[in-house]
Amino acid sequence: MAGLILNVPYGSPFLPRAVQKRLTITEEETRWENWRLTDPFLLELVKQAMEPALPTVSPSLRRVDSDSDRPSHWPSFRLVSYSFSPLVADPLGTLAKELGQLDKPGPCILTKGSLEKDLPNWTPAEREFIFSHCARPYLEQLSQAATELLAAESMVLLLNIRFFATKSWRRDHKELPKPQINLGFDDQLTPMGLVHLAGHVFRRFGLWAEMDYPLVGVDAPAALAQHPRLKALGLAIRRDLYLDEATAKLKTSAESLVRLLRTFFGLLGQELDRVVQARVRRAYPPKPPSSVIKANKTGQIVGKKSQ
């Protein structure tokens, strides 16, 4: 009935050597930029949460390799992640928008990073090369995942998964208390029922969840946003839930977060199934029983009694 695309757009700090040589910032500044803009730890936690909890009967059962091996309640998954640092290119334009470099999201190359220092001024030919080898394959992978799921399922949810730091690195941001979970939505792409369900689930786990704070909205590639059966929801997690921000080491609470995300993904799939089934029932209501057939049956019964 429903499928989930788990999209992690900022989970890799990888910089090709050719790009790294051209960067106008120092190695230390590059590390700081990647620390602020990317999180490979979160990507690994999402990968673990994709796997349903199975009894450890044998090592071969510890990993699920196909949708057919998953429990019946488990949604169809596709994991898509961007393989490069946003210092190479910002594939969705989300960071560029938050940094004030774009009005509308879309694939772009950052002109400045979080340290507000200039990044390389690439020529048009170099920009096209970067897009064709970095951002475009990622966007094509997203489109392919959506196409495959939409062909097999009645509804697909694009779940953009990000992180945010406990303390903001933006100078123009006031240091206010931050929730532990941020739910981003779009008026056209996000059913409010899903937002309310997500908030309820995280509150039941004792977490503080807010809508569109501190991050705002959810961005989907233009080609996918036009599809009526594709919905989108943003999920951002405060980093200190799973990572020691002073030492950059995973906390023991990371295992609990994996279990929470696993439960959340399963509940999302069930809610999407429920929505699809309700739509089907509205579109194809059961036909009322025929009064003619009833009359015929009654006549047959009366006839038998009279004989």
Side-chain angles (χ1 to χ4, degrees), residues 51-216:
E51 309 299 343
L54 295 175
T56 55
V57 178
S58 69
S60 63
L61 293 178
R62 291 176 187 166
R63 183 172 182 84
V64 178
D65 295 321
S66 68
D67 289 337
S68 60
D69 295 328
R70 301 181 185 276
S72 58
H73 68 277
W74 203 241
S76 299
F77 278 118
R78 295 294 185 277
L79 174 65
V80 181
S81 61
Y82 183 52
S83 303
F84 298 89
S85 166
L87 295 176
V88 180
D90 184 353
L92 295 180
T94 302
L95 292 176
K97 184 177 64 173
E98 293 170 356
L99 290 168
Q101 299 174 24
L102 280 182
D103 293 330
K104 295 182 179 180
C108 69
I109 293 178
L110 297 177
T111 57
K112 292 184 178 183
S114 65
L115 298 173
E116 300 181 1
K117 293 193 173 183
D118 290 335
L119 295 174
N121 184 20
W122 305 101
T123 66
E126 289 170 333
R127 293 170 68 88
E128 174 56 30
F129 182 85
I130 290 173
F131 278 129
S132 63
H133 286 77
C134 301
R136 199 166 296 150
Y138 160 77
L139 294 173
E140 289 173 354
Q141 190 179 2
L142 260 183
S143 180
Q144 181 180 355
T147 300
E148 291 176 356
L149 284 178
L150 286 167
E153 311 292 351
S154 298
M155 184 180 292
V156 173
L157 176 68
L158 173 66
L159 185 64
N160 284 355
I161 306 175
R162 298 179 58 193
F163 72 94
F164 57 95
T166 308
K167 293 185 178 180
S168 176
W169 43 263
R170 294 284 300 273
R171 295 180 182 178
D172 55 342
H173 281 196
K174 294 181 180 179
E175 207 53 62
L176 300 174
K178 292 182 180 178
Q180 294 160 307
I181 299 293
N182 179 103
L183 300 171
F185 71 97
D186 179 273
D187 292 334
Q188 304 298 322
L189 296 175
T190 312
M192 290 309 297
L194 281 180
V195 181
H196 294 152
L197 170 72
H200 178 72
V201 170
F202 288 116
R203 284 194 298 271
R204 289 296 297 269
F205 277 96
L207 298 178
W208 174 19
E210 289 286 347
M211 293 168 53
D212 272 358
Y213 177 75
L215 306 180
V216 179

